Amino acid sequence: MNVIYNIAINTVNSALKLYGRCLPREPRRKFPRFVRGRCDLLDRVEADMAAARSAGDDRPLVWFHSASLGEFQIARPLIKALKERGDCRVVMTFFSPSGYEGASAHNYGLIDHIYYLPLDTRRYARRFVEALRPSAAVVMVSEYWPNMLQQLKFHSVPTILVSAVIRDNSQFFRWYGKIYRKALSTFRRIFVLNEESAFNLRMLGYTDAQVSGDPLFDNAALVARTPWSDPILERFCQGDMPVFVAGSISDDTDAAMMTRLANKHTDVKFILVPHDITPGHINELERKLDEPALRLSQCDADTDMAGRRIMIVDCIGKLAYLYRYATWAYVGGGFTKLLHSVIEPVVYGVPVAFGPRIERKVTPAQLIERGIGRKVSSAEELDRWLTELKTDPELSARAKREAREYVERNVGATAEIVDEIAHNLWPR
């Protein structure tokens, strides 16, 4: 299986190299950005690390890795707390453009270097780890890159997996799962989100698992406490109309449901935040609406908002903050395997709906159980949920109370995870 994996990853790498030579310097679409961002990547990493060492920077280096921007919200409170514990350097890598670009735009001074993750060939993994020379590595959620993890183990780098969910139908239990089971053995500690995951790891022979809360709660709570306002959105949300925020609208199903909801509920203002903000996608979203929508990027202090009811946020980095304007919310991605963060609206006490594909996450089921969240499989179900909340103020108030109590019970996971990382950097 290792041989098949390496042949496959090397074939992909060769194809992407050829494709990358044909790309413009700053491509617009997501996949070309994914490829272009990896051009000369290892040369840049090696040069940056060599420059730091030449300058006498001998602080311990911690490598954090997230697939995308959503997982970065788990890493962010860990990085902040770690930096408060002691002086260290942080390198952050991402698999996807959304993570890389979002973190680059909103670094907040926490991260020393941000890179794409090189493709997982043996040669790239060796060069990358030898260039970084990390004192510890922290992986978010489910990024099991076998060659990279084996290099970390070979160089005796303490490696931690955070916010993992190990299901009994995951790749570890499949016929091809040997390579992933081997990858698990490279982690010194795995922090899982539920007892089922810890049990499944024991079934796989892994005993160093610890059930902990989700640092996403700490990050989302930190964001909610952070003073923030957008003068244009502030002005848009003024008035007596409640506000519905649809965050990370990810596919055609999300778009169809949300535009249909916005067209029907004309007594509600809608803020639509698509995951893909390319012009073609925004144009398609607008075509499905019965009335003209504002685009945030095209608004300024002089924009006339009288009678305008729909705003499309066509920029990144604002979603976690703008849920504070919401009366109700919908989180996209739930008709794919990649449901986005349902915690972000809940920390503001906002009831939230989402699509049916919730098997990869623990939080949505807990929200449903407490009456905070609603799983919807169609536009009709979403419409019924919103209508219930609109017509029953006590139902909305109860969901808001439950949401705030639920968040209070779940904050605090960051400290125990940072204890584990710090122990490897600054042993007592």
Side-chain angles (χ1 to χ4, degrees):
M1 183 54 68
N2 280 11
V3 173
I4 296 172
Y5 175 82
N6 284 310
I7 290 173
I9 201 76
N10 281 314
T11 301
V12 170
N13 183 51
S14 297
L16 292 183
K17 274 186 174 180
L18 290 173
Y19 179 59
R21 293 172 186 168
C22 307
L23 292 173
R25 193 164 193 82
E26 294 184 0
R28 290 188 175 184
R29 296 185 65 81
K30 188 173 183 179
F31 182 69
R33 298 202 310 274
F34 168 92
V35 177
R36 191 73 182 85
R38 286 169 168 80
C39 292
D40 303 319
L41 169 61
L42 287 165
D43 291 339
R44 285 182 278 124
V45 174
E46 288 168 342
D48 289 345
M49 297 301 109
R53 283 189 281 273
S54 296
D57 192 341
D58 58 356
R59 293 175 296 164
L61 184 149
V62 186
W63 170 28
F64 284 82
H65 174 67
S66 298
S68 64
L69 189 60
E71 288 81 2
F72 175 57
Q73 306 310 322
I74 302 172
R76 187 182 163 213
L78 299 177
I79 295 169
K80 184 176 185 297
L82 186 64
K83 288 268 191 175
E84 290 169 353
R85 291 280 187 98
D87 197 12
C88 63
R89 285 195 297 155
V90 169
V91 168
M92 187 83 220
T93 59
F94 293 95
F95 184 75
S96 79
S98 66
Y100 176 83
E101 293 162 6
S104 298
H106 301 278
N107 184 355
Y108 305 106
L110 293 174
I111 305 168
D112 298 275
H113 301 280
I114 301 174
Y115 303 111
Y116 280 101
L117 182 74
L119 289 189
D120 192 41
T121 69
R122 285 179 175 174
R123 179 169 172 266
Y124 286 178
R126 183 178 65 253
R127 282 184 65 186
F128 189 70
V129 173
E130 289 179 354
L132 291 189
R133 302 181 195 175
S135 301
V138 187
V139 180
M140 304 300 123
V141 185
S142 60
E143 286 286 276
Y144 310 110
W145 296 107
N147 287 322
M148 202 66 74
L149 289 170
Q150 285 300 322
Q151 279 297 314
L152 289 168
K153 184 176 182 180
F154 177 77
H155 287 86
S156 301
V157 178
T159 305
I160 299 165
L161 180 63
V162 174
S163 292
V165 177
I166 311 296
R167 300 176 303 280
D168 57 12
N169 64 347
S170 65
Q171 66 266 46
F172 305 106
F173 294 95
R174 306 278 180 160
W175 63 267
Y176 55 82
K178 183 177 180 180
I179 190 172
Y180 295 104
R181 292 192 292 272
K182 188 176 179 181
L184 282 178
S185 69
T186 64
F187 292 106
R188 178 168 295 187
R189 180 65 60 88
I190 298 178
F191 290 92
V192 296
L193 294 182
N194 56 17
E195 291 289 350
E196 179 188 0
S197 295
F199 174 80
N200 286 333
L201 283 171
R202 288 195 294 271
M203 293 290 289
L204 293 166
Y206 187 93
T207 56
D208 289 327
Q210 181 173 332
V211 180
S212 73
D214 193 336
L216 272 175
F217 283 97
D218 297 296
N219 181 68
L222 174 65
V223 169
R225 293 194 303 269
T226 301
W228 183 91
S229 66
D230 183 293
I232 295 171
L233 290 173
E234 199 90 42
R235 192 154 59 89
F236 174 77
C237 294
Q238 285 176 354
D240 298 329
M241 278 191 181
V243 177
F244 193 110
V245 174
S248 297
I249 304 172
S250 297
D251 62 4
D252 291 342
T253 305
D254 282 339
M257 287 174 55
M258 289 315 310
T259 51
R260 182 172 169 179
L261 197 73
N263 290 337
K264 179 174 181 180
H265 291 267
T266 55
D267 56 343
V268 176
K269 289 184 178 180
F270 283 81
I271 299 176
L272 307 181
V273 189
H275 190 62
D276 180 354
I277 58 172
T278 55
H281 188 78
I282 301 293
N283 291 339
E284 182 61 29
L285 196 61
E286 289 178 329
R287 278 194 288 271
K288 295 177 180 177
L289 294 167
D290 290 345
E291 60 188 84
L294 295 164
R295 293 193 191 189
L296 183 59
S297 66
Q298 298 175 357
C299 294
D300 56 30
D302 297 322
T303 302
D304 182 8
M305 295 189 179
R308 306 302 289 272
R309 199 175 55 82
I310 304 172
M311 173 74 78
I312 297 175
V313 177
D314 54 345
C315 51
I316 63 173
K318 294 180 181 286
L319 179 58
Y321 295 92
L322 65 81
Y323 279 121
R324 65 190 64 200
Y325 297 125
T327 310
W328 312 288
Y330 174 86
V331 171
F335 287 88
T336 72
K337 293 181 180 180
L338 301 174
L339 174 65
H340 294 274
S341 174
V342 296
I343 297 173
E344 289 178 349
V346 170
V347 293
Y348 295 102
V350 176
V352 60
F354 37 81
R357 299 290 301 276
I358 64 172
E359 66 274 8
R360 290 169 62 91
K361 297 192 176 185
V362 173
T363 305
Q366 295 175 344
L367 296 180
I368 294 169
E369 182 181 340
R370 289 162 176 77
I372 306 164
R374 177 71 63 87
K375 180 174 70 173
V376 296
S377 299
S378 65
E380 290 77 16
E381 289 185 12
L382 181 60
D383 174 52
R384 283 198 295 272
W385 175 74
L386 179 56
T387 301
E388 287 173 14
L389 293 171
K390 281 171 56 179
T391 56
D392 188 345
E394 177 51 36
L395 184 63
S396 279
R398 187 162 60 248
K400 286 179 180 292
R401 288 195 301 271
E402 283 288 334
R404 292 194 173 98
E405 291 173 7
Y406 174 69
V407 170
E408 286 174 8
R409 288 195 298 270
N410 281 279
V411 294
T414 295
E416 61 180 326
I417 297 171
V418 170
D419 282 344
E420 178 69 23
I421 303 169
H423 172 73
N424 293 299
L425 300 182
W426 308 291
R428 294 177 181 175

